[in-house]
Amino acid sequence: MLLPQHFEQKIGFTTLREQLEANCLSALGRQYVARMEFQTKHEPLLKLLQQADEFTFLLRSGADFPASHYYDPKAHLKRAALPGAFLDVAAFFEVKMSLRTIRQALTFFSEADASLYPTLRLLGIGVQVDRNLLAAMDKVVDDEGAVRDDASPLLRQIRQELIARQGQLRKQIAGILRHAKNEGWIPGDAEPTIRGGRLVLPVIAEHKRKVKGLIHDESASGQTVYIEPEAVFELNNDIKDLDNAYHRELIRILTALTDQLRPHLPDLRRAYSYLGLIDFIRAKARLAVSLDCQLPVLHNKPLLKWHGVRHPLLQLAFAQHKRDSGDAREVVPLDLELNAEQRILVISGPNAGGKSVSLKTVGLVQFMLQMGLLIPCADNSEAGVFEDIFLDIGDEQSLENDLSTYSSHLLAMKQFLLLAGKKSLVLIDEFGTGTEPSLGGAIAEAVLEGLNKARVYGVITTHYTNLKNFAERTPHLVNGAMRYDPDKLQPLYRLEVGKPGSSFAIEIARKIGLPKEVVERATQLVGKDKIRYDRLLEGLEKDKLELEIRTAEAAKAEKRLKRAAQEYTDLKQHLEDTKLETLRTAKQQAKALLVNTNQQIEATIGEIRRGNAEKETNKAAREKLETFVRQELQIEPPKPKATRERAEAGGLLPGDKVALFGQDGHGEVVSVKGNTAEVMFGGMKTLTKLNQLEKLGRAEIREREQAAKAKSGRLGGGSSGGGGNGINITDRMAGFSPTLDLRGERAEDALTKTMSFVDDAVMLGMPEIKFLHGRGNGVLRQVVRDYLRSQRAVASVADEHADRGGDGVTIAVLK
């Protein structure tokens, strides 16, 4: 139940209904707007709200949903139901295009994710649009509303003949017109026109006898007559006959098409009901988008638990004001809760402070909700369902019934007390006013007590102190105050639940400049208790504002601190990332430089060896290496010792101490023949090219002897030179294989063989050696590589190329 009878107008819902009508695309949708009803059952209301919520999501997502050709063809369907009747081309165009829109809507919901639009999908169950009927209409009428030339073979033939005859007529009439203009019988700017469905010429009246033909009409002034030239009689007759034939064939086609449509009328009516409902829900969704509405959690009981709720009409007005003037104003949101423990809210505060707006917000928003509309609130809001909404607001004075304003308020109170119950929402503005304050306050308190006993829910605004006190001491009632700045005497339009508000009447009177003696006298008349009470409320309000300011400042400071901490953390992370990146880059550059250095050194050694001990070639290779060291490594290369020089032909004599390049041991030259020297290494003679030898000084000989002794001690006294058995090293080099096969060996045996193999390779000056150990369980590979990495003579250890064994073969490059 809704009271008073003109509830919608009093609460302001008529404006929202007009908005919905404006959002509709068709009369079908507007009919649904007109039939909107106040819902008091939870399940039907929830379904309406879910439909609106799903369509609101559709609009906000920007989905491609059909938004054109929402025609209302009910009159056409009514005519088509008559046997023998036919629809014209325009009617079929509207039917065709609107049925296509229905099919597109059905297809959209059937192909969309079922979880997105469950209730909207259900609306299409049972709705059918026959494809053959749609195709038949499309064959006759195109998408521009014109008849297709190929609607039937006869229609095509007639159309082609008609075009041909009209072409001939235009040519003949153009010749006659040109001749008549030259003779001055027709004005120079005149053109052929149509009279009575026939093409005629506008001839000057005084020359009408000079143009042979039939006069069809004359101008209002009588100065021009319209003549059909005799020469085009037959062509005009042919065109008229063809035009009649064309229309006869078209009527035949339209009649047949109407006969085809007639059996589908029940399905079409159902389809157009669906189209109107979709248009209506779309209008609700558009309103929800414009007001930023949400679907609150809906409970099957009386409840208001709103967060950030806004008055919709104020929001629309402010939006329009912003569009018109650019001045942006925001609606102050309202937080409000009415539940079984806190059923009635008594709002107090100064005039123009927003009490009535808060009350109207409650009434309008709850009414919106129970009319099936989403409401402008935060998404964490909750709401319930009321069976009644009773409203007493404004001046209800009636001259017809001889009722004063106060009497009309009392009549409303009577109805509320008689009809309101535990599922009713009662809204009373300026409760108790209109009569002598003490009596009005007493009656209002008694009525409020009766409403509380009836367990109603409600929002009441008042200035009466006794009502504030009653709410303070009575269960299920709670005070609320409209916030006010007592220093600036300006309303803040914010509702605070839990304490009463002051009217600030004395302060406002003093602020606007009422005579001081009048204000003081009023203070005396009110009494000390009342003044003390209002000042207490005023003090609380000041404390509240000051606390809010300090809280806001603290929140800003905390926000700045958090931002600074975050910036510090981000900077620290950036430095760590930069450090890691720098190290990674440096390692990559060092690795690349090492590779380049090794390549340069190997290239230099190769050039020296290929130079066959030629002095200029060796010198150039050394200089090239030194240049590389300076430029790439940015260090000065060590200068060679004066005693270390490559042997040249004629530069060595028997008895000279020499060493093989890259080897630790040394020997003594026995004899020199050409580019070859016979050298004694530890009791073994070997023939060596002179460019493989370097001459040693005394100091270097001592260093090598000491190194040899140290190595001998580590190896248990064995000699790196191979002992004194007199075996020729040249023979050993010839029989030495740079690859050692360890496959199938035990780990201990493999290690022994590896140690011996490495010693021989180092002694013989091998640049590179290989170990075949296979993959297996990886034990042999691990043993070999661990030993190789422990030897100073080994420069690097790596896998063989994948095509030649991969990690089943280990390659060791020797220094």
Side-chain angles (χ1 to χ4, degrees), residues 457-479:
Y457 291 74
V459 176
I460 292 167
T461 68
T462 186
H463 287 286
Y464 288 167
T465 303
N466 67 307
L467 296 183
K468 304 176 193 178
N469 295 334
F470 180 76
E472 191 69 29
R473 65 176 184 269
T474 305
H476 308 300
L477 272 68
V478 63
N479 272 307

Side-chain angles (χ1 to χ4, degrees), residues 168-304:
Q168 295 174 7
L169 177 61
R170 281 194 297 271
K171 288 181 180 180
Q172 288 198 19
I173 205 75
I176 297 172
L177 178 64
R178 188 165 50 252
H179 174 71
K181 283 184 178 181
N182 291 336
E183 295 295 331
W185 303 338
I186 296 177
D189 59 349
E191 294 294 337
T193 185
I194 302 292
R195 287 293 186 274
R198 301 173 78 88
L199 197 62
V200 297
L201 296 176
V203 180
I204 299 173
E206 61 185 84
H207 300 298
K208 64 183 178 181
R209 299 300 178 186
K210 297 177 182 178
V211 179
K212 293 183 179 181
L214 179 63
I215 297 175
H216 282 268
D217 198 3
E218 68 177 7
S219 65
S221 64
Q223 295 180 359
T224 303
V225 293
Y226 298 94
I227 300 176
E228 179 185 1
E230 187 178 50
V232 298
F233 278 176
E234 291 301 323
L235 278 174
N236 266 331
N237 289 338
D238 292 345
I239 290 172
K240 187 67 175 178
D241 289 342
L242 288 171
D243 190 55
N244 291 335
Y246 180 86
H247 282 89
R248 285 195 300 271
E249 176 62 11
L250 179 59
I251 289 173
R252 185 194 67 79
I253 294 171
L254 295 177
T255 302
L257 189 57
T258 304
D259 292 341
Q260 186 176 351
L261 178 143
R262 192 170 292 115
H264 297 278
L265 288 177
D267 289 338
L268 293 180
R269 292 190 182 97
R270 190 178 303 110
Y272 283 111
S273 178
Y274 170 78
L275 182 64
L277 184 55
I278 288 295
D279 188 18
F280 170 57
I281 298 173
R282 178 182 175 277
K284 293 200 294 184
R286 289 192 63 194
L287 181 64
V289 171
S290 67
L291 293 173
D292 191 23
C293 294
Q294 311 293 334
L295 172 61
V297 177
L298 188 67
H299 298 274
N300 189 16
K301 61 181 180 180
L303 175 70
L304 295 182

Side-chain angles (χ1 to χ4, degrees), residues 57 85 159 165 182 186 230 235 250 295 365 383 391 399 421 448 452 472 497 515 608 650 655 690 743:
F57 172 80
R159 182 67 174 164
R165 292 291 191 277
N182 291 336
I186 296 177
E230 187 178 50
L235 278 174
L250 179 59
L295 172 61
V365 170
L391 176 68
L399 297 177
L448 184 56
N452 187 36
E472 191 69 29
V497 177
I608 292 173
L690 292 178
R743 289 174 293 184

Side-chain angles (χ1 to χ4, degrees), residues 321-429:
H321 182 71
K322 182 179 180 180
R323 289 191 294 269
D324 294 342
S325 63
D327 182 18
R329 298 177 60 189
E330 298 293 335
V331 179
V332 179
L334 176 72
D335 292 335
L336 176 69
E337 180 172 1
L338 297 181
N339 52 46
E341 300 300 321
Q342 180 180 293
R343 290 185 280 102
I344 300 178
L345 173 64
V346 179
I347 303 177
S348 54
N351 287 324
K355 299 190 303 298
S356 296
V357 173
S358 298
L359 181 139
K360 291 177 181 178
T361 300
V362 173
L364 180 55
V365 170
Q366 185 63 34
F367 186 69
M368 278 181 68
L369 183 74
Q370 294 193 229
M371 292 293 279
L373 299 178
L374 304 183
I375 59 175
C377 65
D379 55 8
N380 59 340
S381 298
E382 300 178 40
V385 182
F386 294 91
E387 292 184 355
D388 317 292
I389 301 181
F390 299 142
L391 176 68
D392 180 49
I393 186 172
D395 187 358
E396 294 294 330
Q397 184 175 8
S398 173
L399 297 177
E400 297 175 0
N401 297 325
D402 194 23
L403 288 176
S404 67
T405 301
Y406 187 67
S407 297
S408 65
H409 286 318
L410 287 179
L411 182 59
M413 297 305 104
K414 173 187 173 183
Q415 292 176 311
F416 296 173
L417 290 171
L418 292 175
L419 301 174
K422 61 182 180 180
K423 294 186 178 181
S424 301
L425 178 63
V426 175
L427 307 171
I428 306 174
D429 191 30

